[in-house]
Amino acid sequence: MTVSQTEAAPAGDRTDPAADPRPVLVTGGAGFIGSHLCRALSDAGHRVICLDNLQTARPSNLKPLEDLPNFTFVEGDIVNPLPAAVTEAANLTRIYNCACAASPPQYQADPEHTMLTNVVGTNHLLRLAERTGARFLLTSTSEVYGDPEVHPQVEGYRGWVSCTGPRACYDEGKRAAEAMTFDFARMKRAEVRVARIFNTYGPHMHPDDGRVVSNLICQALTGRDITVHGDGTQTRSFCYVSDMVRGLIALMESDIDGTEPVNIGNPDEFTINELLDMVLELVPNAGKVVNTPLPQDDPRRRRPDISRAQDVLGWSPRVPLREGLPMTAEWFAEEVGAELRLREAAE
Ligand code: UDP
């Protein structure tokens, strides 16, 4: 399945690439959401520069884009001085900052790098936006609400975040990135948008990503033990990736006051046990379910209030979990099947 088969048209894109041919920069563009975003922008006719350090990305996500004349891949880490291929590009029109490991096991594997990506990396990109006049969009996260006491989470809620626990490198890193982004806006140094992304799933997730949707599906497909952390009564609200990309582009292109963050996510809330049941319906002959310890600081519940996105962007998600999950499982079946066949051939 190619990227375009999994995506709705990017209806939120109101820029005209013919009128404004300056390139769009997508950092983290080889990752899960970033690769879908690159495809949507390239399909809309933009020149796209993808910058990625390939830390958690799947380079194969970019295969369908590689030969397109309006797509350029640059390997580099936003923590370091930005590569000349980016800084010397003709003035940019948009910068989407999607660069950061987002799965708890992966962002906790190198917490220092996670924090630096959000603070130093975001600063490099904001300065680039200031210099080029590009509009800057930060992909922030529902993690800024921590283990929330307010439900559903509305943007005005300030969150309940531990700054001492293992999630802090990501949660506090994103909170610092937001603070810096809003300071650039207040000081009129850059025009900004901030999206708070809630749990997103779909094709192009890494099979070893460690997040619940990829874990449960891949474990079921390969007959391994299925790991449910805790008793599975904790909740999440899952957004299909095409809805997310449409929301990010709509936010970037909107005329809203950039000093307000916007939740982008699907408000349909499920317990992990309900998600498990749906996966088991899709994948026959799965292995046994094992309950593993609940990770430290794991939020008990999460659900976005998307009133602001609906009001100011006219955006709502379109793909319910019942539709998105089978598309995702089908994609993983091809991925994991291919990997298994390769392993068998090598033995
Ligand atoms: N989870 C689980 N089994 C797994 C991976 C995650 O039960 O194999 C749980 C995790 O503890 C959390 C929820 O699923 O309660 C969502 O976890 P994920 O890592 O996908 O994202 P988070 O929302 O915690 O960042």
Side-chain angles (χ1 to χ4, degrees), residues 192-243:
V192 308
R193 305 284 184 267
V194 173
R196 291 186 177 156
I197 292 182
F198 283 65
N199 295 67
T200 305
Y201 71 100
H204 290 194
M205 293 182 93
H206 202 297
D208 299 324
D209 174 89
R211 275 179 285 197
V212 69
V213 173
S214 45
N215 267 11
L216 265 49
I217 292 177
C218 291
Q219 289 163 343
L221 286 169
T222 55
R224 282 175 291 154
D225 285 356
I226 300 179
T227 53
V228 171
H229 298 165
D231 63 6
T233 57
Q234 69 273 32
T235 69
R236 294 293 186 273
S237 306
F238 300 100
C239 184
Y240 193 64
V241 67
S242 60
D243 283 330

Side-chain angles (χ1 to χ4, degrees), residues 1-9 36 39 43 64 203-204 240-242 327 330-331 334:
M1 188 179 285
T2 62
V3 188
S4 55
Q5 284 171 295
T6 67
E7 281 182 352
H36 288 274
R39 181 61 192 245
D43 283 353
H204 290 194
Y240 193 64
V241 67
S242 60
M327 292 193 276
E330 195 184 307
W331 184 83
E334 281 177 30

Side-chain angles (χ1 to χ4, degrees), residues 61-99:
N61 286 347
L62 297 178
K63 270 252 166 294
L65 291 166
E66 268 166 10
D67 296 328
L68 297 180
N70 62 343
F71 178 79
T72 308
F73 173 74
V74 179
E75 186 171 345
D77 193 322
I78 60 169
V79 168
N80 301 325
L82 297 174
V86 170
T87 55
E88 288 168 11
N91 279 348
L92 299 163
T93 179
R94 301 282 187 261
I95 299 172
Y96 288 87
N97 182 12
C98 304

Side-chain angles (χ1 to χ4, degrees), residues 27 41 66 81 89 108 136 203 211 213 238 292 304 312-313 333:
T27 68
L41 293 166
E66 268 166 10
Q108 289 169 28
F136 173 84
R211 275 179 285 197
V213 173
F238 300 100
T292 45
V312 299
L313 308 180

Side-chain angles (χ1 to χ4, degrees), residues 15-27 41-42 45-50 69-72 74 84-96 128-129 132-136 252-253:
T15 53
D16 177 2
D20 183 358
R22 294 174 296 167
V24 177
L25 175 65
V26 180
T27 68
L41 293 166
S42 148
H46 294 285
R47 282 168 60 203
V48 177
I49 302 173
C50 163
N70 62 343
F71 178 79
T72 308
V74 179
V86 170
T87 55
E88 288 168 11
N91 279 348
L92 299 163
T93 179
R94 301 282 187 261
I95 299 172
Y96 288 87
L128 182 67
T132 58
R135 189 181 288 173
F136 173 84
M252 178 66 108
E253 298 310 327

